[in-house]
Amino acid sequence: MKKIILILLFFVTVVSCKEKTQEIEKTEIKPKNQTQPKTDLVYTKLKKEQIQKLGLQDWLKNGMDISVNYELPYSENFRTFVFTFQDGEMELKTFMVTFDKKFNKIDKLQIAYDEIAESWMWTKSEISKSKIEVKDYNESSGETEITTTIYKIDENGKFITLSKSEPKMK
């Protein structure tokens, strides 16, 4: 009898977990403030010719496979794209890059970073229409140290530092 009850409980748990997983997969995640990416470009691997035309070839010195993740609608004066590439074997970097209307690079800002060798350092960002908040995390001392820098994009497509905090322990 105990065996049957255990099997029944196991079956109910598996079915419940599967339903919850399907529910989570259907959940739509929306940005906080309506700066939504244009989704027709999502995660497109760039060809060598595209990389050179965009002036991103420096990223390939140690890196591989630059992907354009999406475009952000910041201004009519310039275009803003988010790119990700693997830099060497242990680092993944994501940059926000602004271009003029002829696709000449104006400026770039690293908005995400993941170092997987020791997993001591990473960067996360929150992007809104009015600011870009970049948080750099460092756990190399054994404690989590966080530095927050806030940027804005000016009318010419340049990233302007608004503030930078002293490192704080979490």
Side-chain angles (χ1 to χ4, degrees), residues 143-158:
E143 293 185 47
T144 305
E145 184 178 286
I146 304 169
T147 304
T148 302
T149 310
I150 298 177
Y151 301 88
K152 74 172 189 169
I153 303 177
D154 72 11
E155 63 278 353
N156 299 313
K158 290 278 195 184

Side-chain angles (χ1 to χ4, degrees), residues 28-39:
E28 184 178 346
I29 300 172
K30 295 182 180 180
K32 288 183 176 180
N33 65 358
Q34 309 305 320
T35 305
Q36 296 183 2
K38 295 180 180 179
T39 56

Side-chain angles (χ1 to χ4, degrees), residues 53-154:
K53 284 182 181 179
L54 295 173
L56 307 177
Q57 59 272 17
D58 289 349
W59 294 354
L60 293 178
K61 288 181 182 171
N62 297 321
M64 33 188 139
D65 295 341
I66 298 174
S67 295
V68 58
N69 299 345
Y70 45 83
E71 180 179 5
L72 293 170
Y74 267 100
S75 173
E76 296 293 322
N77 300 330
F78 57 87
R79 298 185 73 179
T80 307
F81 293 90
V82 175
F83 298 93
T84 298
F85 70 100
Q86 186 175 345
D87 191 8
E89 293 181 17
M90 302 294 178
E91 297 175 295
L92 190 64
K93 296 180 178 181
T94 300
F95 282 86
M96 183 182 290
V97 183
T98 54
F99 296 93
D100 66 17
K101 292 182 180 183
K102 294 181 180 179
F103 284 96
N104 296 307
K105 187 168 44 172
I106 299 170
D107 207 356
K108 68 178 180 179
L109 175 67
Q110 185 170 317
I111 59 169
Y113 173 78
D114 190 15
E115 174 272 324
I116 61 171
E118 291 87 17
S119 297
W120 286 349
M121 299 173 70
W122 67 96
T123 300
K124 293 181 180 181
S125 296
E126 287 187 26
I127 300 168
S128 70
K129 194 80 171 161
S130 61
K131 69 179 182 176
I132 303 157
E133 185 175 357
V134 179
K135 291 187 178 192
D136 294 306
Y137 296 81
N138 185 337
E139 290 186 338
S140 60
S141 67
E143 293 185 47
T144 305
E145 184 178 286
I146 304 169
T147 304
T148 302
T149 310
I150 298 177
Y151 301 88
K152 74 172 189 169
I153 303 177
D154 72 11

